[in-house]
Each structure stands twice: as C-alpha cells, then as structure tokens.
Amino acid sequence: MKKRPTILDVADKAGVSKSTVSLVLQNSPSVRQSTREDVNRAISDLGYVYNRSAAGLRGASSGLIGLIINDLRNPFFTEFAASAQMEFARKGYSTVIANTDEDPGNQAQVIGTMIEHGVSAFVISPAYGGGDNAFDRIEHAGIPTMQVLRQVDNRTGLFPFATHNYAAGGEMATHHLIDLGCRKIAFVGGLKDRPITNERMSGYRTVMTALGYSATTFHGRPSRAFGREMALTIASEHPEIEAAICFSDLVALGMLSGFAEAGVKVGEDFRLVGFDDIEESSLVYPRLSSIRCDTELFGQSAAQAMLTWIVDDIRPPDVKHHDVNLIERQSSVGPDHE
Amino acid sequence: MKKRPTILDVADKAGVSKSTVSLVLQNSPSVRQSTREDVNRAISDLGYVYNRSAAGLRGASSGLIGLIINDLRNPFFTEFAASAQMEFARKGYSTVIANTDEDPGNQAQVIGTMIEHGVSAFVISPAYGGGDNAFDRIEHAGIPTMQVLRQVDNRTGLFPFATHNYAAGGEMATHHLIDLGCRKIAFVGGLKDRPITNERMSGYRTVMTALGYSATTFHGRPSRAFGREMALTIASEHPEIEAAICFSDLVALGMLSGFAEAGVKVGEDFRLVGFDDIEESSLVYPRLSSIRCDTELFGQSAAQAMLTWIVDDIRPPDVKHHDVNLIERQSSVGPDHE
DNA sequence: GAAAAAAGTACCCTTTAGACT
DNA sequence: CAGTCTAAAGGGTACTTTTTT
C-alpha cells in the first residue's frame, strides 16, 4: 500500500513550494489565481488528502468535538445527539461520540481519551455521581465544555448549562389536566432526589400546591418497564387517581401499554401527559399528549452555541432554558380529539 | 492559558531523555523499573497528557474508528451504534460517528472528513444510492472498512459485509404463523427492490411458495407511520388477511397502534410478527412477537472483528450472517401467552 | 565484550513568521 | 507591495549510537 501524498508531493508536482500549497489549502488571499489553479490541479491529480493530525499539531483546531451522552439508546438523547452531530458536520466538524451508559467510570475514561485526541470542545450530557474529577480534568486541559440536559457540575461559569424549561412545561400540563376536570393527579417516574426529577416535577408541585390539591408521586426509573408496572399498580391499587404526568414519554408509553393490558381506557378513564414528545408519541394509539421539548432544534442550538464559542470566542450564557410547549392529544383530551 | 506539558517537560523533570519517556508511555519492557517509576511520577506531577495527533503523525494508529450510520434515530441502528462504540471504547479506541440520514451526499462528505482525520478503520451502515465513489475514496486511502447491515458496494473482498441471517428469520416466522393455522399471510413494509427488503422477505417468499400459498406484500417506508396506515387499510379493505410479518418492529408497532385504533385484537383476530426485536417490543401490549436479531451482540462482534483486523491483521470473512431467532409473544400466539 | 538501558537524532506533515524577489 | 519561498516549530516515534552493567 503506497503511502498517501503530502503537500510536498503536491508542491513538486505543481512546481511551487510547500508553503504555497499550504496557503492554497487555507484559501489565503495572497496567492495568485493561476498558481492556485496549478496547485489545485496537482492536488486532484495526486489524490492528495489533507492531514488534520499534522495540522492540529502546529496549532490549528483539531476540528473534533467530543459528544458524551449518558444514555444513547434512549430516543430522547439519540435525537439530541444525532441533531447536534449533524449540525457539527454541516460546519465541517467531526463528532467523537461516547455512550457512558450512566457510568461515571466510563465517562471519565472516554473524557481522558478524547482529551488525548485533542478535541476542540466537549458537549456533555453527564452521568450522575463520580465526583467532579472528570470535569476537573477538562478544566485543567482548558477545553470549552457545555453541559446539556443535565447539570452535574455547578460551576456553570466554567461549564455553561443548557436545557429545556421543564418547570414551565410541568405547569402547563398540570393546568391542562385541571382544566379537564381532574383533581387527583399523580406524577410518575424519575428517580427520587435527582435534580432532573425535581425540575420536571417542580411545575406540577407548584401548581398543585398553589391550588390546594395534594401531590402524589411515584418515583422510579424512567423506563417503559417502570411505566407499565405503575399503570398496573394504579389500576389495581389506586383507582381514585384520575390522571398522571409522566417524567418522560418512555414512562408514559409504558403506562399506555400497562393500561391497555389492564383494560383502562386512556383519554377517558384516565388522562395522561408525557414529557419530551418523542416521535413515537404522535403515532401510538391513543396518541400521547406530551410536553414537547423540541430536541432536534435544541441539539442544533447547542451545537451552534458551541461553535460560536470556539470559533468567535463568544461564550454561551451560564444557564439557558429553552422553551417547551404542550401538545394536546388523545391521551389527555380524549379519543375524539384529532 | 498555559500550554500543556510535553514529553520533553516530563523528561526534564524525571531527569531522563524523551526517548525513555516515550518507551515508558508504550510500556516497553526495555526500561528499568525504577526509571519507569520516576517517569510516571513526573507525568502525574506535571499533569501530562498524551498527544495522539503527534503520535499518529509518526505512523502509529490514530485510535479513531469512523462509524457511519444511515439512520441513527432508528432504534435498531442506535442499538448497533451504541454497542459497537462501547466495545471500541473498552479497547481504548474512540469512535467518530456520523448520521447520514440516508443521504449519500452527507455520507460522502463525512467519509472525506474522517479520512482527513486519519481514522484507522470504517464501520459503515451505508445509505443507498450515490454510486461507489465514497467507497472508491476509502479504497484509495487504504483504510480497512466493513459494511454492516446493508451491502451497497459488492466488492466484499475489499469491504467485508456482516449482517443478520434475515432469510432464516423470515422462514421461521412464516412457519410459526402457518403452524398457528394462518394461510393468508402478508408481508408489510420495506421499500420495493431494496436489497434489504428482498432479503427480509426472502424467507417468507420461499416458504409460502414451497407450500403453495400466495404471497401478498405491501411495500412502503419502514416507519411507524406506514405501519399504522397499513393496519387501517388492511382492517378496512383486506379483512381476509389473517396475519402479517413486518419488515421491522417499527412497522409492526405502527400496525399495533393502527389495529388498536381500528378495534382489531392483535393476537386473536390478527397475528403479527415483527423484525429486529427492539427493546420496546417486549414492553408494548400486546407484546410483539419478533425475529430477534441480537443487535447488541452483533455490534460487539462487528467491533471485535474490526479490531482483530486492524490489530492482528486478520480479515473478517467476506460475508458473515449472524444467527437470528424467533421470539414468540402475544401478538402472534395470543393474549394468554406470557 | 556482550547485553541491557538510556540517550541522540532523524523524521512525520503541516503552519507560520519572516526573508526574498 | 504582491507573491513565494525558507526554515523553524510542534509533540511524538523509532532507528542508531553511546553509556552502563
């Protein structure tokens, strides 16, 4: 296998020096048009490909973004990751990805390796636990880093945080269910005492308390399995409950199939609102009402914010809450709803 | 921001030459234990981090694997990608990922960028169309590359192909439905004339033809939306059809909600088998029978095959079909099934 | 004097001042 | 001044040479 050509080969072929070739590669204005053409011809004749490692060594940015996700298999995070990656690609950046599977050990390991690769930035939806040493290493390496969707390190001056405005979403959903006549409303899913759980629950809590209704919560893993289980439990042991707001669509979809199994008609006997509005939610039956966090847009915005940080040196705000809105569908409004 | 220390700084601090530091970093046996300790102490004192770009420049592998996926948001591919990525990470390799969204243009672009980054290997679930130029560029760059889940370039000697044994799965599912007494069985989903569609359909075709039953196919995008639509169509216009095998679980899940909407009891009035056995399929109601392609295991195996290729220089076989098996659940066997 | 350990030194490919025409 | 070129730098690797045992 013959080794690939370098700018030196290109320079020879084009009859110029390698500096000139380098200038052409960078679209420098200070090179004559005819020379540029000679060089470009040589480049395509030789099938030359740019070597970013060598460039990175000399100071240029590596063009690599580290994207670290706590649970890549969860469609909510998949959507975010895919969207951010594509936005980076559009701007010529490559994305090094890692799924940590909620394991701080994995997280620390991949962060270390990515630093070795010289990533220009990190976008992290972090795993909980494991202390701040991973973030400390990033700080030490001086790499621009955003926390997204989960805030684990509270130095937001150092690691800006971007997420959805969950509290507002919870309030909207609660008002919606109350407007439909529900009084006994539960909140289902989300591990106890997790910041994200508290945040997603806060709107519900606020409204229920303000109106003097009692709040009931069923904590648990934000999974389909837990949702299904809780639907069966509620159907058999808490028949007085009229409605639920779920920690995530995954939980709500689990409840949907649990209720189907138990013979409870969702949208009539029980009203349900999810959280995230993943694609699937508009396609199940009954269609799931959900607090829509436009994750595709969010992923794009996060990627853009990071790019303006590393390209134009404009930091994102310490904390940014993206708007959410409530999508009313059959699972709360009833089966006649379109 | 102070620049990060280099092996030269480490060498100074430890009182050795940089060659020795390099040897320590590579765990070379030809360095005295005491020296090794001195060097390692210097490394942690200085907070030195290895610079892989510089290493890669001199010839060592970059430790970067390019993972290119046609539709990362599809849980089937997400599962594969996450699993392969984690296996690579376990062995110290970082994964550069790109979602091409079925666009050969995107695909060509990200392949180009990844070659510039000097990826050591490619694992590609390719987009259809767009000719072979992307693969030609890879060939020219001489980078070991596997096609997975979809074969687009037929030079499998150059680009080995690994996938599931879909044909066998289709046969199993068809026999299963016939054993349950069905005769009018349809195949639903999958774009016409796509190799993957033909492969997933082939087992069904083979068995139906062999037994003298007629085969009916409804082609379309492998999405929930299409599944839902077809369920409604079948319920209203083809009531004679007793069962269906779906191109993917996504389609089957769409049909499930379509039938729920139409009031058809799946597992009794209509028997349904999906393809892929994604996590969700075991959690919906009725639980979905599916041809299980153990994608997590497949992702691991593919990653391992690639690693033995680039590390031990042992090529994977040109074509490899991984075993699949049929998971019987309520949607085909009936609601009494566990 | 041979083997082991450490040091010396090209070289990898590109960028970027600064020199040159 | 415009356009090119020269040469050093950047962080490692690996072959060669020297110094220790």
Coordinates of all heavy atoms in Angstrom, one line a residue, chain B residues 141-170:
Chain B
A141 N -7.6 5.4 -0.1 CA -6.9 5.7 1.2 C -6.4 4.5 1.9 O -5.6 4.6 2.8 CB -7.9 6.5 2.1
G142 N -6.9 3.3 1.4 CA -6.4 2.1 2.0 C -6.8 1.8 3.5 O -6.0 1.3 4.3
I143 N -8.0 2.2 3.8 CA -8.5 2.1 5.2 C -9.4 0.9 5.3 O -10.4 0.8 4.6 CB -9.2 3.4 5.6 CG1 -8.3 4.6 5.5 CG2 -9.8 3.2 7.0 CD1 -9.0 5.9 5.7
P144 N -9.1 0.0 6.3 CA -9.9 -1.2 6.5 C -11.4 -0.8 6.7 O -11.6 0.1 7.6 CB -9.3 -1.8 7.7 CG -7.9 -1.4 7.8 CD -7.9 0.0 7.2
T145 N -12.3 -1.4 6.0 CA -13.7 -1.0 6.1 C -14.6 -2.1 6.0 O -14.5 -3.0 5.2 CB -14.0 0.0 4.9 OG1 -13.2 1.2 5.0 CG2 -15.4 0.4 4.9
M146 N -15.6 -2.2 6.9 CA -16.6 -3.2 6.9 C -17.9 -2.5 6.6 O -18.3 -1.5 7.1 CB -16.8 -3.8 8.3 CG -15.8 -4.8 8.7 SD -16.1 -5.4 10.4 CE -17.6 -6.3 10.1
Q147 N -18.7 -3.2 5.8 CA -20.1 -2.8 5.6 C -20.9 -3.7 6.6 O -20.7 -4.9 6.7 CB -20.6 -3.2 4.2 CG -19.8 -2.6 3.1 CD -20.3 -2.9 1.7 OE1 -21.3 -2.4 1.2 NE2 -19.6 -3.8 1.0
V148 N -21.8 -3.0 7.3 CA -22.7 -3.7 8.2 C -24.2 -3.5 7.9 O -24.5 -2.3 7.5 CB -22.4 -3.4 9.6 CG1 -21.0 -3.9 10.1 CG2 -22.5 -2.0 9.9
L149 N -25.0 -4.5 8.0 CA -26.4 -4.4 8.0 C -27.0 -4.1 6.6 O -28.1 -4.4 6.3 CB -26.9 -3.3 9.0 CG -26.5 -3.7 10.5 CD1 -26.9 -2.5 11.4 CD2 -27.2 -5.0 10.9
R150 N -26.2 -3.4 5.8 CA -26.6 -3.1 4.4 C -25.4 -3.3 3.5 O -24.3 -2.7 3.8 CB -27.0 -1.7 4.3 CG -28.3 -1.4 4.9 CD -28.5 0.1 4.7 NE -29.9 0.5 5.0 CZ -30.4 1.7 4.7 NH1 -29.6 2.6 4.1 NH2 -31.6 2.0 5.0
Q151 N -25.6 -4.0 2.4 CA -24.4 -4.1 1.5 C -24.7 -3.2 0.3 O -25.6 -3.5 -0.5 CB -24.3 -5.6 1.1 CG -23.0 -5.7 0.2 CD -23.0 -7.1 -0.5 OE1 -23.6 -8.0 0.0 NE2 -22.4 -7.2 -1.6
V152 N -23.9 -2.2 0.1 CA -24.1 -1.3 -1.0 C -23.0 -1.5 -2.1 O -23.3 -1.5 -3.2 CB -24.1 0.1 -0.5 CG1 -23.9 1.1 -1.6 CG2 -25.4 0.4 0.2
D153 N -21.8 -1.7 -1.6 CA -20.7 -2.0 -2.5 C -20.5 -3.5 -2.6 O -20.4 -4.1 -1.5 CB -19.5 -1.3 -2.1 CG -18.4 -1.3 -3.1 OD1 -18.0 -2.4 -3.6 OD2 -18.0 -0.2 -3.6
N154 N -20.5 -4.1 -3.8 CA -20.5 -5.5 -3.8 C -19.1 -6.1 -3.8 O -18.9 -7.3 -3.9 CB -21.3 -6.1 -5.0 CG -21.0 -5.4 -6.3 OD1 -19.9 -4.8 -6.4 ND2 -21.8 -5.6 -7.2
R155 N -18.1 -5.3 -3.7 CA -16.7 -5.8 -3.6 C -16.5 -6.2 -2.1 O -15.7 -5.6 -1.4 CB -15.7 -4.7 -4.0 CG -15.8 -4.3 -5.4 CD -15.0 -3.1 -5.7 NE -15.6 -1.9 -5.2 CZ -15.0 -0.7 -5.2 NH1 -13.9 -0.5 -5.7 NH2 -15.7 0.3 -4.7
T156 N -17.1 -7.3 -1.7 CA -17.0 -7.8 -0.3 C -15.6 -8.3 0.0 O -15.2 -8.4 1.1 CB -18.0 -8.9 0.0 OG1 -17.8 -9.9 -1.0 CG2 -19.4 -8.3 0.0
G157 N -14.8 -8.6 -1.1 CA -13.4 -8.9 -0.8 C -12.6 -7.7 -0.2 O -11.8 -7.8 0.6
L158 N -13.1 -6.5 -0.7 CA -12.5 -5.3 -0.2 C -13.1 -4.8 1.0 O -12.5 -4.3 2.0 CB -12.7 -4.2 -1.4 CG -11.5 -3.4 -1.8 CD1 -10.2 -4.2 -1.9 CD2 -11.8 -2.7 -3.1
F159 N -14.5 -4.8 1.0 CA -15.3 -4.3 2.1 C -16.2 -5.4 2.7 O -17.3 -5.5 2.3 CB -16.1 -3.1 1.6 CG -15.3 -2.1 0.9 CD1 -15.6 -1.9 -0.5 CD2 -14.3 -1.3 1.5 CE1 -14.9 -0.9 -1.2 CE2 -13.6 -0.4 0.8 CZ -13.9 -0.2 -0.5
P160 N -15.6 -6.2 3.6 CA -16.4 -7.4 4.1 C -17.8 -6.9 4.6 O -17.9 -5.8 5.1 CB -15.5 -7.9 5.2 CG -14.2 -7.4 5.0 CD -14.3 -6.1 4.2
F161 N -18.7 -7.8 4.5 CA -20.1 -7.5 4.9 C -20.6 -8.4 6.0 O -20.4 -9.6 6.0 CB -21.0 -7.6 3.6 CG -22.4 -7.4 3.9 CD1 -22.9 -6.3 4.5 CD2 -23.4 -8.4 3.5 CE1 -24.3 -6.1 4.7 CE2 -24.7 -8.2 3.7 CZ -25.2 -7.1 4.3
A162 N -21.1 -7.8 7.0 CA -21.7 -8.6 8.1 C -23.1 -8.1 8.3 O -23.4 -6.9 8.3 CB -20.9 -8.4 9.4
T163 N -24.0 -9.1 8.5 CA -25.4 -8.8 8.8 C -26.0 -9.9 9.5 O -25.4 -10.9 9.9 CB -26.1 -8.5 7.5 OG1 -27.4 -8.0 7.7 CG2 -26.2 -9.7 6.6
H164 N -27.3 -9.8 9.7 CA -28.1 -10.9 10.3 C -28.6 -11.8 9.3 O -28.7 -11.5 8.1 CB -29.3 -10.3 11.1 CG -28.9 -9.4 12.2 ND1 -28.3 -9.8 13.4 CD2 -29.1 -8.0 12.3 CE1 -28.1 -8.8 14.2 NE2 -28.6 -7.7 13.6
N165 N -28.9 -13.1 9.7 CA -29.4 -14.0 8.7 C -30.9 -13.8 8.6 O -31.7 -14.6 9.1 CB -29.0 -15.4 9.2 CG -29.3 -16.4 8.0 OD1 -29.9 -16.1 7.0 ND2 -28.7 -17.6 8.2
Y166 N -31.3 -12.8 7.9 CA -32.7 -12.5 7.8 C -33.5 -13.5 7.1 O -34.7 -13.8 7.5 CB -32.9 -11.2 7.0 CG -32.2 -10.0 7.6 CD1 -31.3 -9.2 7.0 CD2 -32.6 -9.6 8.9 CE1 -30.7 -8.1 7.6 CE2 -32.1 -8.5 9.5 CZ -31.1 -7.7 8.9 OH -30.6 -6.6 9.5
A167 N -33.0 -14.2 6.1 CA -33.7 -15.2 5.3 C -34.2 -16.3 6.3 O -35.4 -16.6 6.3 CB -32.9 -15.8 4.2
A168 N -33.3 -16.8 7.1 CA -33.7 -17.8 8.1 C -34.7 -17.3 9.0 O -35.7 -18.0 9.3 CB -32.4 -18.2 8.9
G169 N -34.6 -16.0 9.4 CA -35.6 -15.5 10.4 C -37.0 -15.5 9.7 O -38.0 -15.8 10.3
G170 N -37.0 -15.0 8.5 CA -38.3 -15.0 7.7 C -39.0 -16.3 7.6 O -40.2 -16.5 7.8

